[in-house]
């Protein structure tokens, strides 16, 4: 009977931890997908700007080959300056993408470490439960509280990490 109780407690804890792990994984994947979609949209917008500039340069070259004055002549210095600014913007966007990707990888690694820690704690709790012939109810309650505290601490760390990521994104948006 006591073994059945131990198994039930360990199974319930295992199911809770597994659900939390799956939710953390799903949240992480959703965040990465969202970040990549935003970056893809920014890159497409910049490619459109590059295409527009390329078209304008082609039109200017065509007009420059025709004899006579050109009312829409583009100053070479202006064009070079515009291209330089676009290249700088492109470079900063790529750098921001790399930073976002790096932060996402760090968050994923952190989640992976948390999941490993939770799994180890659960295995330790199971091992202790299996080692005891007749554990006292207080010992089982203490183990459950310990695992619950560790899970809450992991959730708090995850929330803090998400808040930090949101703040970093807001700061990046302000710097643009």
């Amino acid at each position: 009977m006591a073994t059945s109780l131990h198994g039930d407690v360990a199974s319930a804890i295992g199911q809770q931890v597994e659900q939390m792990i799956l939710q953390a994984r799903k949240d992480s994947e959703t965040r990465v997908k969202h970040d990549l979609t935003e970056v893809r949209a920014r890159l497409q917008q910049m490619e459109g700007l590059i295409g527009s500039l390329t078209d304008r340069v082609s039109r200017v070259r065509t007009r420059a080959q025709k004899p006579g004055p050109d009312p829409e002549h583009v100053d070479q210095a202006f064009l070079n300056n515009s291209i330089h600014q676009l290249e700088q913007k492109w470079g900063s966007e790529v750098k921001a993408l790399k930073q976002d990707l790096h932060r996402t990888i760090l968050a994923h690694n952190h989640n992976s470490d948390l999941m490993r820690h939770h799994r180890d704690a659960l295995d330790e709790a199971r091992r202790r439960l299996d080692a005891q012939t007749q554990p006292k109810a207080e010992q089982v309650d203490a183990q459950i509280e310990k695992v619950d505290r560790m899970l809450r601490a992991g959730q708090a760390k995850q929330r803090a990490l998400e808040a930090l990521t949101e703040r970093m994104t807001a700061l990046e948006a302000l710097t643009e």
Side-chain angles (χ1 to χ4, degrees):
M1 172 107 178
T3 305
S4 175
L5 177 63
H6 296 305
D8 292 345
V9 169
S11 176
I13 292 171
Q15 289 175 355
Q16 289 177 351
V17 169
E18 186 68 28
Q19 288 174 355
M20 293 175 78
I21 288 170
L22 290 174
Q23 184 62 42
R25 179 180 176 192
K26 182 180 176 184
D27 292 345
S28 179
E29 289 172 353
T30 302
R31 202 172 314 113
V32 168
K33 183 178 179 181
H34 175 71
D35 290 347
L36 289 176
T37 302
E38 284 182 5
V39 169
R40 186 176 295 121
R42 282 192 224 162
L43 289 174
Q44 287 174 348
Q45 179 186 17
M46 290 175 71
E47 285 177 359
L49 288 173
I50 289 171
S52 174
L53 281 175
T54 303
D55 290 344
R56 287 178 65 189
V57 168
S58 295
R59 285 192 304 252
V60 168
R61 282 187 182 158
T62 303
R63 289 183 190 130
Q65 293 172 355
K66 294 180 183 178
D70 185 6
E72 294 184 28
H73 178 71
V74 175
D75 183 23
Q76 186 68 32
F78 172 76
L79 180 61
N80 287 337
N81 186 33
S82 296
I83 290 173
H84 180 71
Q85 287 176 350
L86 184 60
E87 287 174 345
Q88 285 180 333
K89 180 70 173 172
W90 181 271
S92 67
E93 291 294 327
V94 169
K95 182 179 179 182
L97 170 62
K98 287 179 182 179
Q99 289 172 344
D100 287 345
L101 186 57
H102 180 69
R103 279 194 301 274
T104 301
I105 289 169
L106 290 177
H108 174 73
N109 289 344
H110 175 73
N111 287 341
S112 176
D113 291 342
L114 283 176
M115 289 186 287
R116 188 178 311 108
H117 178 72
H118 291 163
R119 185 188 66 225
D120 292 345
L122 185 59
D123 289 345
E124 177 65 19
R126 282 186 184 148
R127 186 187 60 75
R128 286 183 182 177
L129 284 174
D130 291 342
Q132 295 177 352
T133 54
Q134 288 185 337
K136 297 179 182 175
E138 303 94 63
Q139 291 174 333
V140 172
D141 290 341
Q143 283 297 110
I144 290 173
E145 287 179 27
K146 181 179 177 182
V147 169
D148 191 43
R149 278 193 311 270
M150 288 188 305
L151 290 174
R152 286 187 187 141
Q155 289 174 337
K157 287 179 183 178
Q158 182 65 31
R159 286 191 297 273
L161 183 60
E162 290 174 0
L164 179 61
T165 302
E166 290 177 14
R167 281 187 252 141
M168 290 296 290
T169 302
L171 283 174
E172 287 178 22
L174 288 174
T175 60
E176 291 179 1

